[in-house]
């Protein structure tokens, strides 16, 4: 493996980790925000 290929591999792994983290936080963040707010705020009646 050449130095250029090694750099591209590291960059691809880093990008995959970052994108996966953002996707997980994007899915979990709103769910945690809704669960953390008091029930009175969500009551519609």
């Amino acid at each position: 493996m050449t130095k250029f290929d090694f750099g591209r591999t590291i960059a691809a792994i880093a990008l995959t980790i970052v994108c996966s983290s953002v996707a997980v936080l994007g899915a979990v963040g709103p769910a945690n925000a809704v669960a953390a707010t008091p029930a009175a705020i969500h009551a519609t009646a």
Side-chain angles (χ1 to χ4, degrees):
M1 184 180 287
T2 65
K3 190 174 187 178
F4 182 71
D5 290 339
F6 183 73
R8 287 182 59 167
T9 301
I10 296 299
I13 291 170
L15 185 61
T16 302
I17 292 170
V18 170
C19 289
S20 297
S21 300
V22 169
V24 168
L25 291 176
V28 173
N32 283 343
V34 169
T37 54
I41 294 175
H42 297 292
T44 56

